[in-house]
Amino acid sequence: MGPRTGKRDEAIRHLEHCDLLTRKLQVGVYLRDLSITGEQAKASDDLREELEEVRDALIARDADGARARLPKLEAAYRACRDAYVTP
């Protein structure tokens, strides 16, 4: 990803695409199940917030700040993934 590779514009596009996919995930689950759990909603919101924080740091050309937020972003991604996985 851009904070690690230095490809800032590519990373920004990727982060925005991930945000879009997260929104689509929420809508798709809602349409299929006619509900979304509180855990799923919170996990999605947390992930989108972290995506935005990293994106904003990259837009501000703060590569170190973006890189420092990656562990939080990765944790939010794993929590979101786990919230939507049906055992």
Side-chain angles (χ1 to χ4, degrees):
M1 192 192 301
R4 291 188 177 135
T5 64
K7 297 180 181 178
R8 180 182 157 273
D9 293 335
E10 182 180 330
I12 291 169
R13 280 192 302 277
H14 182 71
L15 291 164
E16 290 171 346
H17 186 70
C18 288
D19 181 69
L20 176 66
L21 291 176
T22 303
R23 289 174 190 266
K24 286 183 176 188
L25 172 65
Q26 285 180 290
V27 171
V29 168
Y30 182 80
L31 291 174
R32 185 181 66 231
D33 299 339
L34 297 178
S35 68
I36 191 166
T37 68
E39 178 188 4
Q40 290 170 331
K42 181 178 180 346
S44 297
D45 291 344
D46 291 347
L47 175 57
R48 289 183 39 242
E49 183 178 319
E50 290 302 324
L51 288 165
E52 184 177 340
E53 290 293 328
V54 174
R55 182 186 61 92
D56 289 349
L58 289 173
I59 288 172
R61 299 191 181 277
D62 180 11
D64 292 334
R67 202 172 296 115
R69 293 204 66 90
L70 288 180
K72 289 182 181 181
L73 175 59
E74 291 166 354
Y77 167 76
R78 284 190 299 278
C80 186
R81 181 191 63 205
D82 292 345
Y84 283 93
V85 172
T86 305

